[in-house]
């Protein structure tokens, strides 16, 4: 029987490359220009109005800094994409679906665990080592879960918009007389 050797594309990678493809990740990490990286992150996530919508800016920053954490810790591309997808799923569950902080942390732990051991019966794939899991847990605890209530508030509450129109009076200086009306006189030297 002709059985092909599995390739990296055919091996199950859990959540890797579900929200962030290899080519999208390559594009973001290929540039060293911060503004371009943020623009590409926003584009990849389908987030518009990054510059003029505070909520969009917060979400793009969340996504961008998740990627930068992975880059700083020298994660492989599969690990980076999986971590990105895990964080996006936890963010959406907490912010969009109203999951409690404790339940969201349990979700995070179960998703990380399912990417830290290999178990074909449960679909778990081993992408993260124990030191990697410790770094991720510390990072997530000190960033997202520290400020999760702020995320929930910002995304969960409509901000009241009050348009105020005030008259603006601008005083203009008097026009200078033309130089042709000047009187010839002595030049003062100081």
């Amino acid at each position: 029987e002709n059985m092909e050797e599995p390739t990296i594309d055919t091996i199950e990678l859990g959540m890797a490359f579900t929200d962030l493809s290899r080519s999208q990740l390559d594009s973001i990490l290929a540039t060293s220009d911060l503004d371009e990286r943020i623009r590409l992150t926003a584009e990849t996530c389908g987030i518009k109005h990054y510059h003029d919508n505070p909520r969009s800016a917060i979400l793009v920053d969340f996504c961008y800094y998740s990627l930068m954490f992975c880059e700083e810790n020298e994660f492989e591309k599969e690990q980076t994409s999986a971590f990105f997808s895990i964080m996006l799923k936890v963010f959406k569950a907490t912010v969009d679906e109203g999951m409690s902080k404790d339940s969201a942390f349990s979700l995070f732990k179960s998703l990380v665990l399912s990417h830290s051991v290999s178990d074909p019966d449960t679909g778990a794939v081993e992408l993260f080592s124990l030191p990697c899991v410790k770094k991720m847990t510390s990072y997530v605890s000190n960033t997202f879960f520290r400020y999760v209530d702020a995320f929930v508030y910002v995304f969960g509450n409509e901000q009241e918009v009050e348009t105020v129109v005030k008259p603006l009076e601008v005083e203009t200086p008097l026009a200078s007389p033309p130089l042709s009306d000047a009187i010839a006189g002595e030049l003062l030297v100081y």
Side-chain angles (χ1 to χ4, degrees), residues 17-143:
F17 307 118
T18 56
D19 295 300
L20 184 65
S21 73
R22 189 180 300 272
S23 63
Q24 290 170 325
L25 182 57
D26 287 342
S27 295
I28 293 168
L29 298 179
T31 182
S32 59
D33 180 46
L34 175 64
D35 290 335
E36 181 64 6
R37 278 185 164 200
I38 290 174
R39 186 193 70 73
L40 288 169
T41 302
E43 183 180 291
T44 298
C45 296
I47 302 168
K48 298 180 181 180
H49 310 292
Y50 172 77
H51 292 291
D52 58 356
N53 182 331
R55 288 183 180 150
S56 295
I58 290 168
L59 182 55
V60 170
D61 286 350
F62 171 80
C63 293
Y64 175 76
Y65 286 110
S66 294
L67 293 174
M68 292 308 95
F69 162 78
C70 295
E71 184 180 44
E72 289 169 7
N73 287 283
E74 300 176 349
F75 281 21
E76 298 294 326
K77 290 179 181 169
E78 293 81 7
Q79 293 171 315
T80 300
S81 182
F83 179 74
F84 181 85
S85 292
I86 289 169
M87 291 309 301
L88 207 53
K89 185 169 186 134
V90 170
F91 184 92
K92 288 178 179 178
T94 307
V95 173
D96 296 342
E97 299 165 19
M99 184 179 278
S100 72
K101 187 189 293 189
D102 291 337
S103 296
F105 192 70
S106 293
L107 174 63
F108 170 78
K109 288 191 305 187
S110 70
L111 291 171
V112 169
L113 178 63
S114 72
H115 288 79
S116 302
V117 294
S118 185
D119 183 4
D121 295 336
T122 62
V125 293
E126 188 174 358
L127 287 179
F128 303 122
S129 64
L130 182 59
C132 202
V133 170
K134 287 180 179 180
K135 286 179 186 178
M136 290 186 308
T137 304
S138 175
Y139 171 76
V140 171
S141 296
N142 289 316
T143 57

Side-chain angles (χ1 to χ4, degrees), residues 176-186:
S176 303
L179 288 177
S180 60
D181 293 346
I183 302 172
E186 293 182 27

